[in-house]
Amino acid sequence: MNDTARIVVSREQVLRYRVAAHGFDRASPTPGVLVLGVQDTPHGSAPAALAARGASPGGLERVWSFRGAPHLHRRTGLSALAGALWPLDDADATARISTTAIKEGAKLGLAAFRVTAEALRRTVVEPLGKGEVSTAVSAAVPESLTSWCTPCGARHISGLLFQQAGLFGSVRVGTERGKTVLSPLGSPFPVPEAASGTQDLVRAYLRFLGPATRAEVAAFLGTRPTAIRPVWPAGLVEVSVDGVPAWLPESEVDALRGAPRVGASSVRLLPPGDPFLQARDRSLLLPERARQKELWRAIGGPGAVLAGSEIVGTWRARGSGRRVEVTVTGFAALSAAVRRALEVEARTVAEVRGAKEALLRIE
């Protein structure tokens, strides 16, 4: 750790810093935050996150990565990402997959990931439905990694393990007629022998979603804070955010201190899985508990309306083909400037969805 005296900043400064780091100024077609990928939940929402930054899905691949969730990642970086996401040791591996359903199986640690990844590689040699792949993999792994499904009358591999092993199995995740289809990546890579590059991944989180605590980074990776202690980077400075201690790469201190103010009329419509919303300090992003519950719902959550550096409401889109209806619900009355900007952003959402027309409704 760096011995520099603690830096004191406000919540507003942190939000301004993150807005600048995420590339919402649309100055680059390949914003740096892509190192963390873009979560595609619900399916098809990730392109809206890219459009909010002036980027496109070109050169990206859809895989199961962080916490087993579907993400878009740079195709050329998948092998390195697999190394960075491979569990650090048996304890880390167990922490990532331990559930009541496979409590004993999770104790296999790294072996659970390896046997599942290898089974995926043997099975997915051509496009296959997720259910078909799951059935084959379930039969190929130790029984302790499966649980009984009464409706199906069969044992299934833990979904948490199955999906987290997807990237290590060199599997692409697509859809066909509304169903998940798995296929082999065009440029497969070996199952990692050991974790590599995890420290860089931790540093990337701190750069784009920091200042942050070890617990917040661990939650993003789907593990425990003690697991990432060995890869906690050097060259960090302690930052006090409204009295709460957190950490930031020393290289980003000037950017934090000098983060520019962004006018409230600078509006972006962020989908539910947007990288900006992946920060684990939700109370910093949105202090009101009731609004947190409204935005981060377990199922069917809305997107966030970002005006300047503040989340000022939620949004949903529906429709396809020629017209998309975008409904915005403000947390308070929205200014005329924000409303005008929303008209433009609604058209962007429509374009991403392949529609010709956008209808904006503000509630």
Side-chain angles (χ1 to χ4, degrees), residues 95 155 169 180 243 280 325 329 363:
R155 298 191 70 87
T180 300
R280 273 17 193 191
E325 181 178 303
T329 303
E363 299 178 339

Side-chain angles (χ1 to χ4, degrees), residues 265 267 332-344 360 362-363:
S265 60
V267 173
L334 302 176
S335 70
V338 169
R339 288 170 175 263
R340 287 193 296 270
L342 282 169
E343 293 281 358
V344 176
L360 176 65
I362 300 177
E363 299 178 339

Side-chain angles (χ1 to χ4, degrees), residues 87-99 102-113 160 164 222-224 227:
L88 296 163
D89 53 28
D90 284 326
D92 182 22
T94 296
R96 298 191 192 200
I97 60 173
S98 185
T99 62
I102 61 162
K103 193 171 185 63
E104 288 303 311
K107 294 177 182 178
L108 293 174
L110 289 168
F113 279 84
L160 187 59
Q164 286 192 77
T223 189
R224 296 172 181 166

Side-chain angles (χ1 to χ4, degrees), residues 253-274:
V253 169
D254 288 344
L256 173 62
R257 284 173 164 159
R261 295 182 182 276
V262 184
S265 60
S266 178
V267 173
R268 298 291 182 263
L269 293 176
L270 311 183
D274 190 276

Side-chain angles (χ1 to χ4, degrees), residues 15-26:
L15 292 178
R16 281 160 37 195
Y17 165 78
R18 291 185 189 175
V19 165
H22 276 247
F24 289 125
D25 59 359
R26 292 174 173 158

